[in-house]
Amino acid sequence: MKQLIVKVQGEAGLHARPAGVLVKKAGEFSSKITLEKDGKAIDAKRLLAVLSLGAKQGDELTITVEGSDEEAALEAVKAVIEESH
């Protein structure tokens, strides 16, 4: 299991477009990918769940990845969150 805390960089946070990119990227991996904000943990492969976090610029998200490709999955999801606009 790998875990990392990242800060949402995009001005608009994880709104529909970057959330869609995040879900698509997470879906490329077999590992279980969870995002957590303020004690609420969700499946990063489900768009409505990601949107339900209401993540805004400056919010910290904990990414937890568990599975055979966890290292690559963690880096990919981290990149999407940090580069979202």
Side-chain angles (χ1 to χ4, degrees), residues 43-81:
D43 180 352
K45 296 180 181 182
R46 299 187 54 216
L47 181 60
L48 292 178
V50 173
L51 291 172
S52 75
L53 286 177
K56 308 222 180 311
Q57 184 181 36
D59 286 349
E60 288 188 343
L61 301 177
T62 302
I63 308 168
T64 305
V65 185
E66 193 169 357
S68 60
D69 53 4
E70 60 190 23
E71 189 70 46
L74 182 66
E75 287 304 313
V77 171
K78 173 184 177 249
V80 171
I81 292 171

